[in-house]
Amino acid sequence: QAQLVEAGGGLVQAGGSLTLSCATSGRPFSGRGRGWFRKAPGKEREIVAAINWSGTPTYYTDSVKGRFTISRDTAKNTVYLQMNTLRPDDTAVYYCAVKYYTGSDYDLGAYAYWGQGTQVTVSS
């Protein structure tokens, strides 16, 4: 059974940085991309960033461009999200998932095997 585990969330002051990690176990999903998503209170889940397994970022949502960087380590089967210059509106539960189905990388319906999420809270 595949399992994705997010880590690295926490409480940070506005302007600070955090790095999230998402480790995949059980199945390697060789060649499959990954995505980072977030769910803020009162808002729908949205895609934050996506990456193919060749290491090329394929999508960033406009609000994080220039601040967040998605990357991956194939040896560790882990994807990362480096978050800089954090803002209070970045506060959310952050999830990772496997790009499992065909479709656009920004399409939530193309993803499966979601992790349980890690809480990021940015204070003003």
Side-chain angles (χ1 to χ4, degrees):
Q1 190 79 28
Q3 184 177 24
L4 276 64
V5 179
E6 300 95 337
L11 175 65
V12 65
Q13 191 170 335
S17 299
L18 285 173
T19 300
L20 308 182
S21 64
C22 172
T24 304
S25 63
R27 294 176 62 184
F29 293 109
S30 179
R32 300 283 186 175
R34 303 289 191 274
W36 279 103
F37 306 81
R38 65 187 180 187
K39 176 69 170 67
K43 296 184 178 181
E44 296 182 358
R45 183 174 56 184
E46 66 173 341
I47 186 167
V48 176
I51 190 170
N52 64 32
W53 214 239
S54 296
T56 302
T58 60
Y59 182 82
Y60 290 106
T61 194
D62 286 345
S63 64
V64 310
K65 288 179 179 177
R67 300 189 298 121
F68 291 11
T69 302
I70 188 171
S71 62
R72 61 97 181 92
D73 184 333
T74 57
K76 295 182 178 181
N77 204 16
T78 300
V79 64
Y80 303 92
L81 186 68
Q82 175 68 50
M83 306 186 295
N84 298 323
T85 320
L86 283 161
R87 306 167 180 167
D89 59 5
D90 293 319
T91 296
V93 178
Y94 284 72
Y95 303 88
C96 63
V98 177
K99 177 71 181 304
Y100 193 76
Y101 302 105
T102 59
S104 299
D105 287 354
Y106 54 79
D107 181 4
L108 274 65
Y111 292 83
Y113 298 98
W114 296 82
Q116 294 300 303
T118 185
Q119 176 71 49
V120 172
T121 303
V122 184
S123 62
S124 60

